[in-house]
Amino acid sequence: VQLQASGGGLVQAGGSLRLSCAASGRTFNNYAMSWFRQAPGKEREFVAAIRWSGGSSTYYTDSVKGRFIISGDNAKTMVYLQMNRLKPEDTAVYYCAVGVRLITSSLRWSNFYNYWGQGTQVTVSS
């Protein structure tokens, strides 16, 4: 599976950005596409996930709830992260990832993911 992330950039605090991630290659029946981020000097952290297993479910880390929205297309090969009311602390490199057959409690742990994109920089100025 190849993942291509795009949409990062520089934005002022309070602004919005939309990240996209395109997946190609193998397909799966039960998998999650997620966004993680890594700020300088910090560990990679979970941001949001959409999991397809029959229907779809979404999950968010507490710090982005109410501001970010994750969505996917009907073909389940694209995932988007709409980021609103951005804050300087959202500044990081954002990565998309695919994890196969993950249970809910595993979604926020990067070591359970099978495939990773190259990352896209998001910078929020104050």
Side-chain angles (χ1 to χ4, degrees):
V1 174
Q2 292 78 45
L3 300 174
Q4 182 69 41
S6 61
L10 172 65
V11 64
Q12 288 189 331
S16 298
L17 280 175
R18 189 192 195 210
L19 305 183
S20 300
C21 180
S24 60
R26 290 187 61 185
T27 59
F28 307 95
N29 291 326
N30 179 344
Y31 65 102
M33 290 184 74
S34 301
W35 290 95
F36 286 76
R37 65 187 180 188
Q38 188 166 18
K42 295 188 176 182
E43 293 185 354
R44 191 168 298 189
E45 66 170 353
F46 170 79
V47 177
I50 182 167
R51 183 172 63 183
W52 288 287
S53 176
S56 65
S57 301
T58 57
Y59 308 84
Y60 299 91
T61 193
D62 287 346
S63 63
V64 309
K65 284 180 181 177
R67 300 189 298 124
F68 292 10
I69 301 171
I70 190 169
S71 62
D73 69 339
N74 290 335
K76 305 175 188 176
T77 58
M78 293 290 299
V79 66
Y80 307 98
L81 186 68
Q82 177 66 43
M83 304 186 295
N84 302 317
R85 304 203 312 273
L86 282 160
K87 304 175 181 180
E89 52 263 44
D90 295 318
T91 295
V93 177
Y94 283 69
Y95 299 90
C96 61
V98 167
V100 181
R101 289 187 295 275
L102 298 183
I103 60 176
T104 303
S105 59
S106 299
L107 289 172
R108 62 183 61 249
W109 302 108
S110 60
N111 55 303
F112 286 107
Y113 284 77
N114 308 92
Y115 308 97
W116 290 86
Q118 82 288 4
T120 184
Q121 176 71 47
V122 171
T123 303
V124 184
S125 62
S126 56

